[in-house]
Amino acid sequence: MMVLCKDRQYRNYLDAEFEFWHSHIEALHLEEGRDVLIFGCGMWGKALVKELNKHKNVSIKGFCDNNLELQGQCLENYPIYSAEESVDKYPNAFYIVAIDKYADIIEKQLIGLSVNEERVRIFETYNSGKSIRKYFEERLNDN
């Protein structure tokens, strides 16, 4: 009986994970086939690139980051650019900001580099004001 319970918990977790990523990626309103750069090489940026590859037909061109030590490196087999370099190289790309703490500052930075604000998306890691951890805890405790 314990194995059955753990199997159900795992299945519930997988369902919750899929639901979370699907809803959050859909909320970005990305057009199919568009060039996309992810701003932020942290946990959310890495997770987002993997999930975008599963859920959306977009052309991921790489990452952007303000950390000079990361620029010129690769992450998840994608190049890491400075914001300036990415805008020069991909002037019509969509940018997904995957950094909670500085999202508004980065959005202004990109707009200041002549990226149309319609092409800047903020990846919200909160679901209706709930942290993701709380979201998963509630979803898993429902059953």
Side-chain angles (χ1 to χ4, degrees):
M1 186 65 164
M2 184 64 145
V3 171
L4 185 59
C5 181
K6 286 197 181 288
D7 285 346
R8 184 183 322 140
Q9 282 179 319
Y10 183 66
R11 196 173 41 235
N12 288 346
Y13 170 79
L14 292 176
D15 289 346
E17 181 181 42
F18 176 83
E19 181 183 296
F20 169 81
W21 282 109
H22 181 76
S23 67
H24 281 68
I25 288 172
E26 287 302 309
L28 293 170
H29 302 289
L30 296 171
E31 298 171 21
E32 298 284 322
R34 294 303 299 250
D35 290 346
V36 171
L37 286 113
I38 298 171
F39 205 116
C41 294
M43 175 184 78
W44 289 116
K46 287 187 272 190
L48 185 57
V49 77
K50 289 177 184 175
E51 294 302 323
L52 277 172
N53 281 322
K54 287 185 208 173
H55 294 275
K56 207 68 170 159
N57 183 22
V58 295
S59 180
I60 300 170
K61 297 301 182 185
F63 290 90
C64 302
D65 206 286
N66 287 328
N67 183 336
L68 297 174
E69 292 179 18
L70 295 176
Q71 295 168 9
Q73 304 294 319
C74 284
L75 180 64
E76 303 295 331
N77 294 318
Y78 292 99
I80 303 170
Y81 303 105
S82 68
E84 296 80 5
E85 184 181 10
S86 67
V87 171
D88 287 344
K89 195 168 178 102
Y90 303 104
N92 297 313
F94 279 77
Y95 289 80
I96 303 172
V97 180
I99 303 171
D100 272 343
K101 193 172 182 180
Y102 303 107
D104 56 336
I105 294 168
I106 292 167
E107 181 179 31
K108 289 176 187 166
Q109 176 186 3
L110 289 168
I111 292 168
L113 292 170
S114 300
V115 175
N116 183 310
E117 67 182 290
E118 296 292 318
R119 291 187 287 111
V120 179
R121 307 287 201 263
I122 307 296
F123 178 68
E124 301 288 342
T125 57
Y126 285 85
N127 185 4
S128 303
K130 279 188 237 177
S131 71
I132 290 171
R133 177 178 293 197
K134 194 172 228 28
Y135 171 82
F136 278 104
E137 286 173 356
E138 288 176 7
R139 180 74 163 77
L140 293 176
N141 288 329
D142 283 346
N143 295 313

